[in-house]
Structures are given as C-alpha cells and as structure tokens.
C-alpha cells in the first residue's frame, strides 16, 4: 500500500505544465472550496426565508410502527421522522417515499404527507439501489477532484447514468493527459480515500438553486455549464458531500456511511470531441451497501473483476465518438 501511495504522489509531482480551465487560475482544492462556500451561502439564505414555523401532519406508513407526527414545515425531514422511532430506523433508512414520490432522507418536508422509510432489505429496494449507485458516483467524483492536488487541473464532466445491472458506477473526467494508466497500487490508494469518506459519514445535502446561481457556482467548469444550460430548466438541483458539489437530479442516500467495500477498479479512455486530447477518462468502481458488508472474498472478487470491464451507455450520445467492442457492451448491460 505504501508503494501505491508513493506512485500516486510521484504523479502529483511530475514536472509538467499545469492545466487550468480558461476562466480561472484556481487549484482543484480552491475551486471545490469556492463552490462549497456558494452552496452554503445559498443554503443559509433559503433557511432564513423560513421566518414562521408552521406545523404539518406526517403519517408514517410502516407495518410495525405506523403513527402520525406533528413536524415543522420546510425544516423537518424523513430523517427526523426516523429519529422519532428508534436507532434501527435512523441507521438503516436510506431513502423515503413522500406521498409516493422518491425523496431524500435529508430533504425537508413541505406539506401534510404520508412517509414510508426505505432500506436495502425492504420489499422493493429498486429505488434505494438506484439512489445508492448514484451516491457512489458522487463519491467517486469527489475522490477524483481531490486526488491530483495542484499538479493537474481536473475537469469533471459528469456521472453517466449507468444502470445497476452494468456492474459498476462511473464518473467521466478530462485529465488533460495524453495517456495515464493507473497501477493497481494507485487504484488502491484512491479507494482508500473512499474508505475515509465512509468513516466520516458525510451527508448528501440537496439544494435546488436558480440556474443563474448554478452557472456561477460552476463558472470554472465548461462541462457543467453546458449541462446546466442545455437542461433548459429555471432551477438546478445540486448535491454536496463534504466540500464536493455536483449537478444531479438525485435522489441520493442519507450519507457516505452506507458505502462499504468501495473499490475503484479501472480507468478507461473514451473518445470525445470535447477534450483537447480527443478523449476523456471514465473512472469505474463498485461498492456494497452497509447491510451487505460481511461478504467473503470469493464472492467480492468476481464483483470487482466485472466492474473493470469498460461500460458504455445509451445516453452517451455525442460524448462518445465510437464504441470499441459491441459484444463487450452487450455483456455489461445484461
């Protein structure tokens, strides 16, 4: 493991030109800090608009603990509902249904409603699994944004919409490099950063902002600005985990605590006309929900090996100029 950390550190100290986006000379860390600062300012501004606390009736739908709670409109969340029950509900609930709509555990409730708390072993875990996959992609983006420190400016592109059946979650970036094939030790070092995030139990915070503010937050990233502009929406949904802010419709799980056995398995080049080098890098990884953390290595190893296979999606569109192996693509989508 020490050799891996040395290898990654040597990459950070390479005597090469530093790459920056056109509109900034900030480092990766400074960009993340500025984005988080703007996110926090808007979060506090929106909270300040709640000048009068109104009460709402929240009916919990649960076969063992159905009840009706009086909560605070615009402030109380499904997580607060779980806290009113017991530690088991608080710790295992990863997502909620609010009047039938999939809802973040930390998203405030806005009206009288019925709430159902979801977990990974509930009768219908499909929505929880999708939110978990999405959250792991967000964690992967956070790791990449901080991994290269100041030697390279990393342009984050997007977390592609990869189905759970693909066997891995992904994040696309532009490293501005001609070529980089990370060693196994370097991938292990990156995976260690995920372990640190999991230990910190960082919450996934949701915030809907005016699109003009979203463009200001991502003024240093041409890919995000393009994504925001092309959406055509007047508001943009952002998520923050630690200092890392990203665009996503969500929902996501409660916190990084749910992501165990997190492994960054591969980095593949994908062809793109949007990069100076004609390609982007697709980071791939896999992780298991905390409810399934105790798994034998003979089961985990095949899961990690499958997550190394290059994955392409139907929504890649202009981002991918050509797909290398049609048969491989079919295998990964089964």
């Amino acid at each position: 493991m020490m050799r891996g950390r040395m290898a990654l550190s040597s990459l950070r100290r390479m005597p090469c030109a530093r790459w920056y986006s056109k509109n900034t000379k900030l480092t990766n860390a400074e960009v993340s800090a500025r984005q988080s600062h703007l996110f926090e300012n808007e979060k506090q501004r929106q909270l300040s608009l709640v000048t009068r606390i109104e009460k709402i009736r929240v009916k919990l739908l649960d076969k063992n603990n159905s009840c009706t709670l009086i909560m605070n409109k615009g402030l109380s969340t499904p997580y607060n509902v779980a806290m009113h029950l017991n530690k088991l509900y608080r710790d295992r609930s990863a997502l909620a249904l609010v009047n039938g709509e999939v809802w973040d555990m930390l998203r405030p409730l806005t009206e009288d409603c019925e709430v159902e708390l979801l977990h990974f072993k509930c009768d219908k875990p499909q929505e929880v699994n999708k939110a978990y996959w999405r959250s792991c992609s967000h964690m992967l983006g956070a790791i990449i944004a901080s991994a290269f420190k100041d030697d390279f400016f990393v342009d984050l592109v997007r977390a592609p919409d990869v189905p759970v059946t693909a066997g891995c979650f992904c994040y696309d970036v532009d490293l501005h490099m001609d070529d980089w094939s990370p060693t196994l030790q370097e991938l292990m070092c990156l995976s260690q950063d995920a372990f640190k995030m999991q230990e910190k139990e960082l919450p996934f915070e949701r915030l809907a902002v005016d699109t003009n503010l979203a463009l200001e937050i991502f003024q240093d990233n041409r890919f995000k600005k393009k994504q925001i502009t092309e959406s055509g929406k007047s508001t943009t949904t952002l998520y923050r985990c630690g200092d890392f802010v990203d665009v996503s419709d969500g929902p996501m799980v409660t916190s990084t605590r749910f992501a165990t056995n997190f492994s960054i398995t591969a980095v593949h080049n994908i062809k793109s006309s949007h990069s100076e080098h004609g390609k982007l890098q697709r980071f791939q990884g896999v992780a298991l929900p905390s409810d399934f953390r105790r798994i034998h290595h003979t089961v985990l190893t095949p899961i990690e090996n499958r997550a190394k296979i290059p994955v392409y999606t139907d929504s890649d569109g202009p981002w991918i100029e050509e797909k290398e192996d049609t048969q491989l693509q079919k295998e990964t989508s089964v």
Side-chain angles (χ1 to χ4, degrees):
M1 180 60 68
M2 182 59 67
R3 290 196 299 271
R5 290 192 179 280
M6 291 175 64
L8 196 58
S9 297
S10 65
L11 176 64
R12 293 168 178 166
R13 294 195 298 268
M14 286 177 63
C16 61
R18 294 172 66 178
W19 289 88
Y20 299 99
S21 60
K22 294 181 179 180
N23 300 323
T24 185
K25 291 187 177 180
L26 299 177
T27 64
N28 295 297
E30 289 168 340
V31 168
S32 292
R34 188 187 68 80
Q35 291 174 346
S36 181
H37 176 70
L38 291 173
F39 183 101
E40 182 64 25
N41 284 348
E42 176 61 14
K43 175 184 173 182
Q44 295 303 321
R45 187 194 71 81
Q46 291 187 20
L47 285 173
S48 70
L49 298 178
V50 184
T51 57
R52 178 174 176 270
I53 297 179
E54 300 179 36
K55 299 297 182 178
I56 56 175
R57 298 175 64 87
V58 178
K59 183 178 180 180
L60 175 64
L61 303 180
D62 186 87
K63 59 184 179 182
N64 297 317
N65 286 293
S66 291
C67 61
T68 299
L69 302 170
I70 304 301
M71 312 291 286
N72 296 324
K73 179 179 179 180
L75 296 175
S76 298
T77 67
Y79 184 77
N80 297 131
V81 174
M83 290 176 64
H84 278 285
L85 300 176
N86 56 48
K87 185 177 184 297
L88 175 63
Y89 280 86
R90 184 197 67 187
D91 291 346
R92 76 175 182 177
S93 298
L95 203 64
L97 288 178
V98 177
N99 289 337
E101 179 183 352
V102 183
W103 202 272
D104 300 82
M105 286 294 293
L106 300 180
R107 181 180 174 184
L109 303 169
T110 58
E111 61 183 2
D112 293 347
C113 58
E114 295 181 341
V115 172
E116 182 179 354
L117 301 176
L118 306 179
H119 55 88
F120 290 99
K121 293 184 178 181
C122 62
D123 294 337
K124 296 181 180 180
Q126 291 87 346
E127 292 297 338
V128 182
N129 289 336
K130 289 190 288 186
Y132 174 73
W133 221 234
R134 192 179 299 116
S135 304
C136 288
S137 293
H138 188 96
M139 289 177 64
L140 182 54
I143 292 167
I144 300 167
S146 61
F148 296 91
K149 302 301 182 184
D150 298 337
D151 292 298
F152 299 93
F153 188 89
V154 179
D155 269 326
L156 299 172
V157 180
R158 61 168 185 164
D161 188 15
V162 176
V164 177
T165 53
C168 71
F169 48 80
C170 307
Y171 206 103
D172 297 344
V173 302
D174 189 349
L175 295 178
H176 304 282
M177 297 183 190
D178 288 322
D179 193 24
W180 179 54
S181 298
T183 64
L184 175 61
Q185 289 77 15
E186 287 170 342
L187 291 175
M188 291 173 65
C189 287
L190 292 171
S191 300
Q192 279 296 310
D193 289 342
F195 175 75
K196 295 175 184 177
M197 293 181 70
Q198 190 263 341
E199 278 196 321
K200 292 179 181 179
E201 299 187 12
L202 300 172
F204 290 98
E205 302 174 84
R206 179 188 185 276
L207 189 68
V209 306
D210 182 85
T211 291
N212 289 329
L213 176 58
L215 291 171
E216 179 184 353
I217 291 174
F218 293 101
Q219 64 181 354
D220 307 296
N221 188 310
R222 67 186 188 278
F223 298 106
K224 300 294 181 185
K225 289 193 295 184
K226 179 180 176 66
Q227 179 183 354
I228 294 167
T229 301
E230 290 185 347
S231 71
K233 300 177 181 178
S234 59
T235 60
T236 301
T237 304
L238 307 180
Y239 280 83
R240 180 174 67 172
C241 183
D243 279 340
F244 179 65
V245 180
D246 203 3
V247 180
S248 175
D249 290 332
M252 297 196 187
V253 297
T254 315
S255 76
T256 57
R257 179 181 61 83
F258 287 106
T260 63
N261 293 297
F262 195 113
S263 177
I264 299 176
T265 55
V267 180
H268 298 291
N269 288 323
I270 55 176
K271 294 185 178 181
S272 170
S273 59
H274 297 272
S275 170
E276 299 173 3
H277 294 265
K279 59 189 172 185
L280 303 173
Q281 287 72 40
R282 174 162 290 175
F283 284 69
Q284 297 183 187
V286 70
L288 298 178
S290 54
D291 284 355
F292 305 94
R293 72 179 71 195
R294 293 182 178 87
I295 183 171
H296 197 271
H297 70 89
T298 56
V299 177
L300 183 59
T301 298
I303 294 175
E304 292 179 338
N305 287 337
R306 177 178 172 82
K308 297 176 182 178
I309 301 174
V311 170
Y312 303 108
T313 69
D314 292 336
S315 61
D316 283 330
W319 298 99
I320 306 296
E321 288 185 336
E322 66 180 39
K323 300 183 178 180
E324 299 175 357
D325 191 332
T326 304
Q327 182 60 36
L328 186 59
Q329 181 190 355
K330 291 180 179 178
E331 292 174 359
T332 58
S333 62
V334 173

